Amino acid sequence: TAGNTAVPGVAGVNDDADIYAWNSDGSYARVFDASVAGVPAAADVDAFVYNGPGDVYLSFNNDLPVNLPGVAGVQDEDIVHWNGTAWSLHFDGSAVGLGDGGNLEDVDAFAILGGSVLVSTSGTPAVPGLTGLTDKDLLQCAGTSCTLYFDGSDIGLTTTGDVVLAGGYQFM
C-alpha cells in the first residue's frame, strides 16, 4: 500500500511494507508481514517479487539506509531477499555503478531472471559502459556489470511520465 492503510478484512497493523493478496472470494489476505520479518516501520518498499512466504525480494525507496536483521545499510538501489528465516543482499546496486545519482538511480521495479536481475530505475541511471539511458529502459545486471535489456525509445516511450517497470509498463 502507499502508506499504513487499513486493508479491508485484514486485522492488526497494516504496514506499507506488508504484501497483500486479493483472493478469489473477494477478500484480502496479508501474505507477507514485514514487521515479523524484521523490516523497520520506517522502511518504504517500492518494489517486490513475491514467490511465496519463504521467497520474497524487496527494494526500498528510503533516502537513508534501511537496517534489516543481518543486513545493515540497504540502499534504495539494492534488492534484498527473505528466505523465510533470514535476510540477504541479493543485488548490490553500487557494485554495478548505481547509487551515485541519488533518487534517480533508485530501483523502482525489478524481476529475477535466472542468475541476473532486470532493473528499472526511477530516473536516468548512469552505469559504466552504457550511454543514453533513461527511466524508460531496463537493465539486465549480473555480478558487477549491466547490459541494456530493453530500450524504451525503440517503441516510442519518450514522454515524461511513461515509465517502464520490470513487470510491465506503467503509463502515468
Side-chain angles (χ1 to χ4, degrees), residues 100-117:
D100 297 334
N103 287 335
L104 296 179
E105 295 183 340
D106 172 13
V107 171
D108 63 355
F110 64 91
I112 308 301
L113 187 64
S116 64
V117 178

Side-chain angles (χ1 to χ4, degrees), residues 42-44 60-67 73-76 103:
D44 183 18
F60 300 103
N61 189 36
N62 294 63
D63 291 331
L64 297 173
V66 173
N67 294 314
V74 179
Q75 301 291 329
D76 60 4
N103 287 335

Side-chain angles (χ1 to χ4, degrees), residues 60-171:
F60 300 103
N61 189 36
N62 294 63
D63 291 331
L64 297 173
V66 173
N67 294 314
L68 300 171
V71 183
V74 179
Q75 301 291 329
D76 60 4
E77 68 270 11
D78 298 335
I79 299 168
V80 292
H81 179 244
W82 172 252
N83 68 6
T85 59
W87 288 102
S88 62
L89 184 63
H90 181 75
F91 173 72
D92 180 354
S94 65
V96 298
L98 294 175
D100 297 334
N103 287 335
L104 296 179
E105 295 183 340
D106 172 13
V107 171
D108 63 355
F110 64 91
I112 308 301
L113 187 64
S116 64
V117 178
L118 295 183
V119 173
S120 170
T121 59
S122 59
T124 301
V127 296
L130 297 175
T131 59
L133 298 173
T134 72
D135 64 346
K136 288 113 179 97
D137 300 328
L138 287 177
L139 302 175
Q140 184 172 7
C141 303
T144 58
S145 65
C146 293
T147 58
L148 181 62
Y149 182 82
F150 173 79
D151 183 344
S153 66
D154 285 351
I155 62 165
L157 296 180
T158 57
T159 306
T160 301
D162 291 348
V163 180
V164 174
L165 300 175
Y169 304 102
Q170 176 185 22
F171 296 97

Side-chain angles (χ1 to χ4, degrees), residues 6-28:
V7 177
V10 178
V13 176
N14 296 307
D15 188 313
D16 63 352
D18 293 346
I19 300 173
Y20 302 91
W22 175 252
N23 298 317
S24 61
D25 67 359
S27 66
Y28 290 98

